[in-house]
Amino acid sequence: MKISFKSRIERLDYLKLNHITVAEAQLLQFRKDSEHSSVYNQRFIITINDKVTWRGGSVSLGDNKAYITISTARMKKVFAVLGDIVQVELERDDSKYGFDVPEEFEEVLNQDVEAKHQFESLTLGKQRAIIYLVIQLKSSQKRIEKSLFFMENLKRAPKGQVTMRHVLGKDLP
């Protein structure tokens, strides 16, 4: 299901970010009866002015609204500036991580049962952050190396107390 609506690009100065606003009524259209999480925090495939698409999430804003951040780069692609009204299209993102998992990362997990177990015990946000860091690398070899690095750090981290500092190789025993 997709919904389409107009929203103004606004700024949250205290967070230093630009965003579009989504009303509760729009968010409720995506809510499944079996879900217990906040209606304001959902994952979407977002399209602005039929020109730029990305995966992202909504965050509670208060007053029965949520916001979705929009980067300056994306604003430039749709020729929009702060205060402009844009056409927004939202589609629920039911993928586990909100983006495609690199095959190199999946293969590293498949070959290391202990690392896979540690990775799966992390919060979804930490899992997403690790995968995102791997996705940023251009070459397949670098993605493999970084995946191995992160998994080795996960195995060395204190069980049940893993932080992103551990994953990045800091604060390890």
Side-chain angles (χ1 to χ4, degrees), residues 1 35 41 49 59-60 92 104 110 129 134 157 169:
M1 176 181 93
E35 291 179 328
N41 299 316
N49 289 352
V59 180
S60 179
R92 185 180 173 105
E104 298 90 347
N110 290 336
V134 173

Side-chain angles (χ1 to χ4, degrees), residues 14 19 39 64 67 83 92 107 131 136 154:
Y14 68 97
H19 70 91
V39 69
N64 300 324
Y67 70 86
R92 185 180 173 105
E107 192 56 38
I131 295 168
Q136 301 308 303
L154 265 179

Side-chain angles (χ1 to χ4, degrees), residues 16-172:
K16 298 181 174 122
L17 59 82
N18 298 324
H19 70 91
I20 53 173
T21 303
V22 186
E24 180 182 52
Q26 293 157 331
L27 294 167
L28 285 170
Q29 295 179 53
F30 293 100
R31 182 73 179 229
K32 293 181 180 175
D33 292 336
S34 62
E35 291 179 328
H36 300 292
S37 60
S38 170
V39 69
Y40 300 103
N41 299 316
Q42 299 184 58
R43 305 281 310 162
F44 295 105
I45 299 169
I46 306 130
T47 303
I48 302 292
N49 289 352
D50 293 322
K51 291 182 181 171
V52 64
T53 300
W54 74 96
R55 294 174 188 233
S58 59
V59 180
S60 179
L61 185 59
D63 287 336
N64 300 324
K65 297 181 214 166
Y67 70 86
I68 296 172
T69 60
I70 180 168
S71 68
T72 304
R74 289 185 179 115
M75 289 170 56
K76 286 179 183 178
K77 286 181 182 178
V78 297
F79 305 105
V81 294
L82 201 58
D84 283 357
I85 295 176
V86 293
Q87 184 68 36
V88 180
E89 183 178 276
L90 295 181
E91 181 178 1
R92 185 180 173 105
D93 183 357
D94 287 318
S95 65
K96 185 171 182 178
Y97 301 111
F99 33 72
D100 297 327
V101 179
E103 63 185 61
E104 298 90 347
F105 183 80
E106 284 182 332
E107 192 56 38
V108 167
L109 284 183
N110 290 336
Q111 292 182 20
D112 190 335
V113 176
E114 182 185 351
K116 184 173 186 172
H117 179 72
Q118 274 287 86
F119 178 76
E120 290 174 348
S121 72
L122 297 173
T123 64
L124 193 54
K126 286 179 185 158
Q127 291 175 1
R128 195 178 287 129
I130 292 168
I131 295 168
Y132 180 79
L133 290 170
V134 173
I135 287 172
Q136 301 308 303
L137 301 167
K138 303 288 185 223
S139 78
S140 179
Q141 185 60 39
K142 291 287 186 192
R143 287 191 294 272
I144 292 168
E145 290 170 8
K146 192 58 82 170
S147 297
L148 289 167
F149 173 76
F150 289 151
M151 293 307 106
E152 287 304 314
N153 290 343
L154 265 179
K155 291 190 298 188
R156 291 176 46 212
K159 307 291 184 240
Q161 301 173 358
V162 179
T163 66
M164 283 306 292
R165 288 186 59 80
H166 294 126
V167 172
L168 297 171
K170 300 173 182 182
D171 299 339
L172 287 173

